[in-house]
Amino acid sequence: MKRRNLLKRLAQIVIVLFGISFLTFCLTHMAPGDPVLAMYAASGTIPSEEILDETREALGLNEPFLTQYVNWLTGCLHGDFGTSYSYSRPVAELLLARLWPTLKLALLSLALMLVVAVPLGILSATHRGGIADYLVRSLTFLGVSLPNFWVGLLLLYIFAVQLKLLPVVSAGQGFSKMILPAVTLAFAMAAKYTRQVRTAFLEELNQDYVTGARCRGIKERVILWRHVLPNSVLPLITMLGLSLGSLLGGTAVVEVIFSYPGLGSLAVDAITSMDYSLIQGYVLWIALIYMVINLLVDISYGLMDPRIQEGG
Amino acid sequence: MKKAAGFIKKNPSFCVFAVLALAVIAVAVFAPALATHDPYEAVLTNAVQPPSAEHWFGTDRMGRDLFSRVLYGARTSLTASLSLVCIIMVAGTLLGIVAGYFGGVLDAVIMRISDMMISFPGMVLAIAVAGILGANMTNAVIAIAIVSWTKYARLARSLVLKIRSRDYIAAARVTGSKTSHILWKYMLPNALPTILITGATDIGTMMLEIAGLSFLGFGAQSPTAEWGLMLNEGRAYMTASPWLMVFPGLAIFITVVVFNLLGDSLRDVLDPRNE
């Protein structure tokens, strides 16, 4: 990626982050319910009107809206995302502690998904119109129509409750606790990716170089693995980047089902307890991570495929 | 009549799925007639009964008849997801056509907002919006609408840009057609088939997202009969009474499959490339 493009992208990221931060700040302001009252209610006391006012003053909640926003934003730029009142800890610290478990879960589910999707997609493409293709396509269709929270519940019921092979609650560490959540996440993604691999493969198989290689008598196996596969995985990389980004933000449902201590379940907790600084910090973090991953994907794309580099 | 027979013969799969979708809608419409019990009547002495001749899908922890609740759930789910798709389709298409046709500042503003939404995992924002606005079905629909309209805006805009500089549009303008006339009679019909196909294939996805929000507790609230919420309520009783999570999940699954199939076959019918 050329330097000018890179700078343009970075500028875009800054603008989007700015917009997202303003949007979430507005939203938390419009939200019904009084955060100060909720804060005291969480600690189990019913404060008098004066104490409420004093706290508001101390937290800067009596300032005009824009002043509050600028104050908060300045804090964020200095790495201070405020303090979560429901956990009584700095927001940045909480988010950082939950980032690693979610990242681990996301990577494991992506790996599981690839192990299933790539062979199935290739099988489907190379046997186009055959029974295998038909079966795989029906399976992917069912896969995209299944709600992932239901898949999660069924897996939990079968493997944890009935067969007692795996733990019901995924709290704490340990690989076995990540299996069910990861399989659940991989399930729906695998359906989407199998279709993608199939399309990409079919497209490559129609290229002239494949016909050329066949004419030269090169074995079909060699053509597939040495030539077609590397060419068709390239578009997958962009998708993988996007998936990793949305997994980091969107695993809430699965994390809740398996009581997995990640970013998603933290966000759900934050929203149910009206912990505004935590919600704002979470949304901003996810936006940043998501966009940085996309940028890295685009850069790596240019490195892997020189044609894109030349085009700028 | 002959025309209809010809259409059915030409598009058999579309007709089959249309009938299935109508059947699902009929279940929702006639739920009061089909239900064997009042879905909201709690009989605590009759709680968590397994499926029987009296209660076909069993009863939940409040002793409510699960079969009737699943039927009524079709109402909640279909109303919410169909109105959601309509909202994002209309709002997104209008904004996209306006952005594409007028260009300039309007285009820049609409497209930058849509960029912002696309460079961000939608579900995160939807959860945040639904949670902050307050948990109910309307807010869940609003939250998902806020993050989903951009797809239609982009689509409509690109379709408008494609024909904006064509001769017949210039001719219409030169002969003094009003802008509203051009937008309504030329731009909209041109964009409509693609938009409708996208909308139809989106119904299933939207249904899943709404059910997901309800499952997390940010959508329908108790005692509403909603499939996502019912799954969440049944979750705690999984070990002893698995039927509480089997039937609502199955209902979501079947409905989503039917609407996804309908969307796919509608694409085959409307796609001009298939002519």
Side-chain angles (χ1 to χ4, degrees):
Chain A
M1 199 186 277
K2 284 197 183 125
R3 178 173 288 170
R4 223 188 65 212
N5 280 342
L6 191 66
L7 285 178
K8 214 173 126 189
R9 283 290 298 273
L10 286 174
Q12 212 179 352
I13 289 184
V14 172
I15 293 170
V16 171
L17 277 179
F18 196 71
I20 294 271
S21 72
F22 189 71
L23 194 74
T24 39
F25 202 80
C26 286
L27 267 174
T28 45
H29 252 258
M30 291 181 334
D34 184 346
V36 177
L37 203 61
M39 193 168 100
Y40 278 107
S43 61
T45 48
I46 300 157
S48 67
E49 201 51 47
E50 290 101 71
I51 297 181
L52 283 179
D53 254 349
E54 266 170 40
T55 320
R56 280 196 197 106
E57 191 64 46
L59 291 174
L61 291 176
N62 287 338
E63 304 271 341
F65 171 73
L66 273 179
T67 321
Q68 282 189 44
Y69 174 64
V70 170
N71 285 343
W72 175 69
L73 201 62
T74 330
C76 291
L77 290 177
H78 291 92
D80 174 18
F81 291 83
T83 309
S84 145
Y85 73 80
S86 54
Y87 290 87
S88 316
R89 277 166 64 193
V91 169
E93 191 188 311
L94 279 170
L95 290 172
L96 205 60
R98 298 291 190 101
L99 181 63
W100 176 232
T102 297
L103 188 64
K104 259 197 310 195
L105 184 61
L107 290 175
L108 180 64
S109 64
L110 280 180
L112 278 176
M113 177 279 292
L114 283 177
V115 169
V116 178
V118 173
L120 281 184
I122 295 175
L123 183 78
S124 176
T126 50
H127 295 76
R128 189 183 183 181
I131 296 173
D133 185 27
Y134 185 76
L135 271 177
V136 169
R137 279 196 297 156
S138 319
L139 273 178
T140 61
F141 191 83
L142 293 182
V144 293
S145 306
L146 276 167
N148 65 352
F149 46 95
W150 194 45
V151 174
L153 287 178
L154 291 180
L155 287 175
L156 197 60
Y157 181 70
I158 296 169
F159 290 100
V161 176
Q162 286 296 318
L163 302 177
K164 300 197 191 326
L165 287 175
L166 293 160
V168 175
V169 173
S170 301
Q173 300 296 313
F175 183 72
S176 66
K177 292 168 179 173
M178 281 168 59
I179 296 177
L180 283 183
V183 169
T184 310
L185 288 172
F187 194 85
M189 274 194 301
K192 208 171 74 183
Y193 275 84
T194 307
R195 288 180 172 186
Q196 202 65 34
V197 172
R198 179 179 181 272
T199 319
F201 244 76
L202 284 177
E203 216 162 85
E204 269 324 297
L205 283 174
N206 282 330
Q207 299 281 332
D208 287 341
Y209 75 87
V210 176
T211 321
R214 277 185 188 144
C215 291
R216 293 203 307 278
I218 296 173
K219 280 195 197 103
E220 195 68 21
R221 193 158 41 93
V222 179
I223 299 176
L224 274 183
W225 295 106
R226 292 273 295 281
H227 302 286
V228 176
L229 184 66
N231 277 319
S232 38
V233 292
L234 262 175
L236 282 185
I237 291 173
T238 317
M239 269 183 82
L240 279 176
L242 283 173
S243 293
L244 181 61
S246 39
L247 276 176
L248 287 179
T251 56
V253 177
V254 172
E255 285 182 11
V256 166
I257 293 176
F258 295 99
S259 325
Y260 189 82
L263 277 176
S265 49
L266 180 73
V268 172
D269 281 350
I271 291 168
T272 23
S273 54
M274 292 208 297
D275 193 339
Y276 292 142
S277 41
L278 190 50
I279 302 173
Q280 287 162 347
Y282 166 76
V283 173
L284 210 56
W285 266 54
I286 295 293
L288 180 66
I289 295 173
Y290 190 70
M291 282 184 294
V292 168
I293 290 176
N294 282 350
L295 182 66
L296 291 179
V297 164
D298 284 356
I299 294 173
S300 69
Y301 208 70
L303 292 179
M304 272 181 283
D305 192 346
R307 284 172 299 184
I308 295 169
Q309 186 111 33
E310 278 165 28
Chain B
M1 223 30 227
K2 213 170 170 187
K3 231 175 162 182
F7 181 81
I8 294 173
K9 213 167 179 183
K10 212 173 137 201
N11 308 295
S13 61
F14 173 74
C15 295
V16 170
F17 300 135
V19 168
L20 284 177
L22 282 176
V24 173
I25 293 173
V27 167
V29 172
F30 299 111
L34 295 169
T36 50
H37 293 74
D38 178 352
Y40 296 108
E41 194 199 333
V43 186
L44 287 174
T45 49
N46 212 7
V48 279
Q49 294 294 313
S52 61
E54 170 67 13
H55 298 285
W56 295 346
F57 290 177
T59 62
D60 68 2
R61 71 196 156 95
M62 308 281 284
R64 295 172 297 202
D65 179 57
L66 199 63
F67 176 70
S68 309
R69 284 181 69 74
V70 167
L71 289 187
Y72 272 80
R75 293 189 142 192
T76 329
S77 202
L78 283 180
T79 322
S81 38
L82 291 180
S83 48
L84 173 59
V85 171
C86 285
I87 292 170
I88 55 175
M89 215 159 69
V90 172
T93 310
L94 286 182
L95 287 172
I97 289 179
V98 166
Y101 187 76
F102 293 107
V105 183
L106 213 55
D107 183 29
V109 170
I110 294 176
M111 281 304 118
R112 286 302 80 72
I113 295 176
S114 130
D115 279 348
M116 208 169 90
M117 296 294 181
I118 248 166
S119 51
F120 193 78
M123 204 58 186
V124 171
L125 205 57
I127 289 177
V129 172
I132 291 168
L133 289 179
N136 63 48
M137 208 56 173
T138 319
N139 287 342
V141 169
I142 293 174
I144 301 175
I146 288 177
V147 297
S148 314
W149 62 272
T150 53
K151 184 159 115 191
Y152 295 86
R154 281 170 177 275
L155 206 57
R157 178 174 177 270
S158 70
L159 292 167
V160 164
L161 284 182
K162 232 198 261 168
I163 64 157
R164 192 173 66 158
S165 48
R166 292 279 175 81
D167 287 342
Y168 68 92
I169 302 292
R173 219 175 287 153
V174 168
T175 52
S177 296
K178 279 197 200 114
T179 310
S180 60
H181 179 81
I182 295 178
L183 288 182
W184 192 249
K185 292 281 176 194
Y186 295 98
M187 298 299 172
L188 187 63
N190 175 63
L192 214 51
T194 318
I195 296 283
L196 280 180
I197 293 169
T198 317
T201 47
D202 254 4
I203 297 175
T205 319
M206 292 301 148
M207 216 171 262
L208 287 180
E209 288 194 2
I210 291 175
L213 277 186
S214 293
F215 179 80
L216 285 177
F218 300 130
Q221 293 299 305
S222 184
T224 315
E226 202 277 343
W227 296 328
L229 180 66
M230 285 157 76
L231 276 179
N232 192 23
E233 287 169 348
R235 189 158 68 102
Y237 301 83
M238 175 194 288
T239 320
S241 34
W243 60 88
L244 287 179
M245 59 162 209
V246 169
F247 294 114
L250 211 55
I252 302 179
F253 175 56
I254 292 172
T255 315
V256 172
V257 165
V258 166
F259 279 96
N260 277 348
L261 285 169
L262 181 72
D264 279 2
S265 56
L266 184 68
R267 179 169 46 209
D268 298 338
V269 174
L270 286 184
D271 197 337
R273 274 170 300 185
N274 286 346
E275 285 297 316

